[in-house]
Amino acid sequence: MLFPNPLRQSKFCKSENVIVVQQCYCPNGHNLISSKAIFNGFDGIIIKVKDEEKKEEGLVALSPVYGYKSRVSLDIDLGQDMIWQMYCPECDEPLATYTDCSCGGQMVVMFLDNKFEFTNCIALCNRIGCQNAGIKYGNELLTCSSLELGPK
Ligand SMILES: [Zn+2]
Ligand SMILES: [Zn+2]
């Protein structure tokens, strides 16, 4: 650990206004946090993205520091406005989608624990240029934007 985690039980650690995601899972339970990409000293989230039409695929690293939006392409060229399908790099399972994003993309979900419920999850838009993202943890809802993750 790089700094003490006051909220170990809740899978996040909070330091002032930042929340760091320390574990998140694909629908088959693979941890997507990887030391292959480090953001601000924290292990990043690695997902596989595919463009079925162009038959392109590659790995993308997402910052685990919530509020610090950063996506880094590891081996593909990410078009700013492209919509990518997102997969687990381990088992190739498509990540679940939660809802449509207002930009026309879809909110893709990574689970925060192995119950695989939408109550504890991170959601982010699969259009690369879109900043919509949110973390839902029990009754706590943290959003980066006006997006509402709760049931309508
Ligand atoms: Zn997996
Ligand atoms: Zn979007």
Side-chain angles (χ1 to χ4, degrees), residues 27-76:
N28 287 326
H30 297 114
N31 195 351
L32 302 170
I33 300 284
S34 166
S35 56
K36 282 183 208 155
I38 306 286
F39 293 85
N40 302 40
F42 298 100
D43 289 353
I45 299 167
I46 305 275
I47 50 172
K48 187 194 264 187
V49 295
K50 293 187 196 179
D51 182 332
E52 301 288 359
E53 276 173 37
K54 292 187 185 164
K55 305 267 180 257
E56 278 186 87
E57 66 173 61
L59 295 177
V60 172
L62 306 174
S63 170
V65 183
Y66 190 71
Y68 180 85
K69 280 167 258 164
S70 177
R71 303 184 197 209
V72 177
S73 158
L74 299 182
D75 52 10
I76 48 160

Side-chain angles (χ1 to χ4, degrees), residues 25-32 87-93 95:
Y25 300 97
C26 87
N28 287 326
H30 297 114
N31 195 351
L32 302 170
Y87 295 81
C88 170
E90 192 84 24
C91 63
D92 222 24
E93 183 80 11
L95 299 181

Side-chain angles (χ1 to χ4, degrees), residues 8 12 17 25 34 51 58 65 70 73 82 85 88 90 111 119-120 125 136 144:
R8 187 178 292 260
F12 304 138
N17 292 323
Y25 300 97
S34 166
D51 182 332
V65 183
S70 177
S73 158
M82 283 184 66
Q85 302 309 312
C88 170
E90 192 84 24
F111 299 101
T119 44
N120 296 336
C125 182
K136 203 162 178 274
C144 278

Side-chain angles (χ1 to χ4, degrees), residues 100-107 124-127 129-132:
D100 291 336
C101 178
S102 53
C103 78
Q106 283 186 308
M107 299 302 290
L124 81 163
C125 182
N126 65 354
R127 192 165 65 84
C130 180
Q131 301 285 294
N132 251 350

